[in-house]
């Protein structure tokens, strides 16, 4: 039975209390993307400034959410700022691989296969590994990432 | 505050609900999420099990004994529901899969037949998505107009402009009780105003029918929707009550077996009420289970259920305020007589998800989220609330456990 | 006739079904009405009971432990159903209240969005009302045209003019197996022809999915509908399988909780598949029960189920013909390999109601009536048939009891 | 536990085997009315010749049904032929009263009240009393009567 300390690591609470890159960017030039967690009503708004190659030059976050979704967004913003599309893509896949062990279980444990994860350092984000033990919260942790992916897609479209 | 007399003995009551004797994380469960779904007494589980073990068979068409018996028990359940809400005839009781289907049935079947572009449907700002989205779908399909009854600052309907809102309206569809605020609305005032304005009225009874005596004649409602799973009954069953003449005139909703009188290559004719609106094999075990739930509630007495909840509401509000003062904000009307036992609250500036997660470690089950009422959330200026809700099997020990666990939650996050 | 090898032991099998040990009118029950609804093994009843006693709570929105567990078990059931029919993704498995709702969902949601006046929908003469009336409703609403695949004299689809019938058609919707004749239709031939003609295909799998291994990729079906209660599962639950791209493009059916991503005063956006089509509190216990039924059937092995029924079909047809000769007429194909275990028969010129009534006195349960297939009845030139139907728990002793009781019936009415 | 002999009285089987007033009447002048039992598919067709006061001067029956619906129709035809509207109405109420003890139970035994039945001799029809013990068959027994009522209503409309 997982305990609270598996979920609420100190570093998560730190990002929650002191979120990085909180705020807005002027649109345009920045792109504004909204994400919803349909289950709980959490909303996240990302502001993204892209560099000439489509990488994320700057990022700001607003919206509301629980400690998991807010800290995940905060960590993500620190991790992707200044990164190229390819680097972000790798990070995203590594993060989702960490999370999706359980996303797959939800879809039927008996068919879950190990996900092949890119060999990337997740840094602070590692602290979110405990979330997989709390399946309902996985959507909280992945909300910012899905919203970022949507933003990158919109920008390149 | 004078504490109301509580006619119900918590311990004896809990013993009838098998789930309430389980433990979670090594502690006895404290179930405070009955507004989402209620627990089921043994009597209900036994009724369904008995159906499956002794008379399981398809209804209405079998000549053999167990099929007759299944049909009888199913139709007896319909009669029990009829009497439970004071309907005139069993023809007015339509079984659906949940309250959501019941609300959609009226929006779609009555709505498509009777509404056209520009027609007005009046809702309120405290509706559940189940009483909003079906109408949004008609906005997109037909071009009807929606109007919204606003709320006052205690989360009650503000009826100041009701007649203006209803002016020219075809439908008024409002909840009898908010699943977020606990507010109990003045249904009769609403249905009278609707009738005066020439509109039909539908009442979402999901939160009221399980918790207080209901009589559709007194409510003056044309339609009433509610779910079995919130009133000690099983999942997979809901009810639409409709006035017989409205149902007679309404086109069918789903087509198939049971709902027909005759089918030919070139068309069909519909069966009598209520079967006209019950296509396919019914949720037989679930209907029988709902009947058992109604019998069980009748045994307790709906007035006792309501008195118990008023007493518990007084206790809850005063306990939480005494223990937490300004750290807690409970939404909705402050007077227990005006509200049901649903307590949405903000606590210590914490996010409801986080509150609920820590409470769970103390075996306290509360809901966190928008409670399928996003427009209300937006109006309140919040994304989500934590919500504790009580039913007939809860008692003051549950509320004490909630308060203790909230204490621990505050401590955990301020470490 | 070479008798097939039967892999299933009747006595051990019956012991798993509580209802089959009861008596009726002082005699052990002989249940021969599984085409209407099947009996339920203990494993299924226990799974539902266990849900209610240990984790009953509303799904998808609760952060607390029992709500997570309920959500997991419900979604696990979806995965079991997905694998049971060979669907590619859980997104393609939509839970409905019965097969009738599944068929209506396609007719109404896909149909309203994609069909207009004069568009052609092809059905067959052996369809159940559930696959006729929803289309009749679109004839009235939109003005579509229905075409009917005829039958040959053994009650098989006559596909001679299939391509002509499908010419310009938008939809082909046909049953995989007749609930009256037992005929198993060549589904792949039908779906291939539909695809060639540019039509989508829907298969009514109510009578096939419970009785033989199903793989939607092999069937080539765009939609497949079936009911839980005919496959050892509970009442109140059905399934719509739909190809993901079709479901993505299809507008929602019912509006309410669960199926939304966002709701505002001025509109809503829909949730991801499959929840987009599951409005309101799901039939949680029933979904879990269906999952248990699928696991149970997997344990028996669907190939064994089919082999058992072929063997029993051979035995039934030869026994009834040997004992009653010309006094009995069994409808449908004569070859057991082409048919399922459903035996509609005429006997001694007696009315099916009267046959069924006397059989009941001998504890033999068979159905009498039009079996929700009135157009087929008209084609056969009869008003009703008596119908005996078998499943995995029936054995030759049940067929012998049927024959003995038929003997007694004949005697009773010629007294 | 009711037995078969409660249902299939000899007189019922006799009417079933030798149905009275079987056939058709020319329309017009006769009125043709159809009735369905939606549960089993039984169909009855009545041909009614009315006298100048709206009474049933002549009646014929076709269609198909079980022994109960056929014998009930046969007995009914014999009972109503040559009767006035008022007499038929009284017969119908008496017959339904005999049947509806159980129709009401279906609607919820706890509210069933005794039905006040006109004091009419039902004759052969009395044999159908046993049907109330077999609730599913009540619709078989009442089909012809409901169809007759519909015909009389149509004629007077
Ligand atoms: C072939 C067929 N289609 C559809 C149905 C309808 O299924 P349900 O009544 O469970 O919706 C049935 C069963 O009654 C059937 O046999
Ligand atoms: C006020 C209200 N209306 C409608 C519903 C929808 O009920 P169900 O999900 O059972 O269809 C609910 C419960 O979720 C509710 O609380």
């Amino acid at each position: 039975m997982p305990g609270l300390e598996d979920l609420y690591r100190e570093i998560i609470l730190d990002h929650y209390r002191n979120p990085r890159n909180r705020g807005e960017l002027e649109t345009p030039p920045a792109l504004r993307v909204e994400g919803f967690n349909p289950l709980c009503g959490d909303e996240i708004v990302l502001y993204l400034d892209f560099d000439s190659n489509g990488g994320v030059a700057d990022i700001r976050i607003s919206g509301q959410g629980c400690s998991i979704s807010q800290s995940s967004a905060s960590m993500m913003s620190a991790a992707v700022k200044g990164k190229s599309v390819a680097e972000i893509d790798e990070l995203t896949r590594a993060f989702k691989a960490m999370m999706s062990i359980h996303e797959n279980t939800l879809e039927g444990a008996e068919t879950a296969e190990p996900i092949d994860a890119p060999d990337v350092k997740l840094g602070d984000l590692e602290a979110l590994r405990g979330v997989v033990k709390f399946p309902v919260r996985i959507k909280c942790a992945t909300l910012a990432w899905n919203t970022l992916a949507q933003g990158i897609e919109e920008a390149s479209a | 505050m004078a504490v109301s007399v509580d006619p119900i003995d918590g311990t004896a009551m809990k013993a009838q609900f098998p789930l309430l004797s389980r433990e979670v994380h090594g502690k006895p469960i404290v179930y405070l999420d009955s507004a989402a779904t209620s627990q089921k007494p043994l009597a209900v589980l036994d009724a369904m099990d008995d159906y499956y073990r002794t008379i399981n068979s398809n209804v209405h068409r079998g000549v053999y004994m167990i099929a007759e018996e299944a049909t009888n028990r199913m139709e007896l359940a319909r009669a029990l529901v009829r009497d439970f809400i004071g309907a005139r005839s069993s023809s007015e009781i339509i079984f659906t899969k949940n309250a959501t289907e019941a609300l959609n049935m009226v929006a779609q079947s009555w709505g498509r037949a009777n509404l056209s572009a520009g027609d007005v449907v009046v809702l309120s700002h405290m509706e559940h998505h189940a009483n909003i989205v079906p109408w949004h779908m008609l906005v997109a399909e037909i071009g009807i107009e929606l109007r919204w009854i606003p709320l006052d600052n205690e989360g009650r309907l503000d009826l100041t402009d009701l007649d203006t809102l209803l002016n020219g309206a075809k439908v008024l569809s409002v909840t009898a009780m908010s699943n977020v605020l606990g507010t109990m609305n003045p249904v009769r005032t609403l249905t009278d105003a609707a009738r005066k304005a020439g509109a039909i009225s539908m009442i979402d009874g999901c939160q009221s029918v399980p918790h207080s005596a209901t009589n559709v004649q007194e409510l003056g409602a044309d339609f009433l929707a509610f779910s079995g799973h919130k009133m000690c009954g099983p999942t997979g069953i809901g009810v639409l009550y409709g006035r017989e003449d409205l149902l007679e005139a309404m086109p069918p909703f789903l087509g198939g077996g049971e709902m027909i009188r005759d089918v030919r290559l070139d068309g069909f004719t519909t069966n009598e009420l209520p079967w006209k609106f019950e296509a396919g094999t019914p949720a037989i075990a679930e209907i029988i289970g709902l009947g058992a739930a109604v019998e069980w509630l009748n045994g307790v007495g709906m007035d006792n259920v309501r008195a118990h909840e008023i007493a518990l509401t007084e206790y809850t509000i005063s306990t939480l305020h005494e223990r937490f003062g300004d750290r807690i904000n409970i939404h909705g009307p402050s007077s227990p007589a005006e509200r049901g036992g649903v307590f949405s609250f903000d606590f210590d500036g914490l996010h409801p998800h986080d509150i609920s997660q820590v409470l769970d470690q103390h075996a306290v089950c509360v809901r966190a989220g928008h409670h399928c009422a996003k427009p209300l959330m937006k109006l309140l200026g919040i994304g989500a609330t934590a919500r504790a809700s009580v039913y007939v099997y809860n008692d003051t020990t549950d509320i004490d456990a909630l308060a203790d666990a909230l204490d621990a939650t505050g401590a955990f996050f301020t470490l």
Side-chain angles (χ1 to χ4, degrees), chain B residues 271-346:
Chain B
N271 199 348
E272 290 160 33
L273 291 175
W275 304 290
K276 172 180 165 187
F277 292 103
E278 295 181 356
T281 302
I284 308 169
E286 293 72 17
I287 292 170
I288 289 170
L290 177 58
V294 164
E295 279 191 300
W296 187 87
L297 286 169
N298 285 338
V300 177
M302 289 309 294
D303 290 337
N304 291 332
V305 172
R306 176 73 187 131
H308 172 70
E309 293 185 20
I310 290 180
L312 207 49
T313 297
E314 284 169 1
Y315 185 82
T316 305
I317 293 179
S318 62
T319 302
L320 294 179
H321 280 151
E322 266 162 37
R323 289 190 54 174
F324 301 109
D326 284 349
R327 291 171 63 196
I328 200 161
N329 168 39
I330 303 175
H331 295 275
S334 50
S335 154
E338 284 184 78
R339 58 176 298 150
V342 169
F343 312 98
S344 278
F345 59 86
D346 313 319

Side-chain angles (χ1 to χ4, degrees), chain B residues 58 61 257 279-282:
Chain B
N58 215 326
R61 287 166 302 201
T281 302

Side-chain angles (χ1 to χ4, degrees), chain B residues 35 98-100 103 128 130 175 177 179 204 206-207 227 229-230:
Chain B
N98 52 25
T100 301
L103 294 160
H128 186 280
T175 189
M177 172 177 149
N179 66 316
D204 175 352
C206 279
Q207 297 293 340
S227 273
H229 68 91
K230 295 187 205 269

Side-chain angles (χ1 to χ4, degrees), chain B residues 252-267:
Chain B
F253 184 50
L254 302 181
E258 296 275 320
M259 56 70 76
I260 58 95
R261 182 180 309 273
D262 190 26
V263 177
R264 298 169 315 276
L265 290 187
D266 65 350

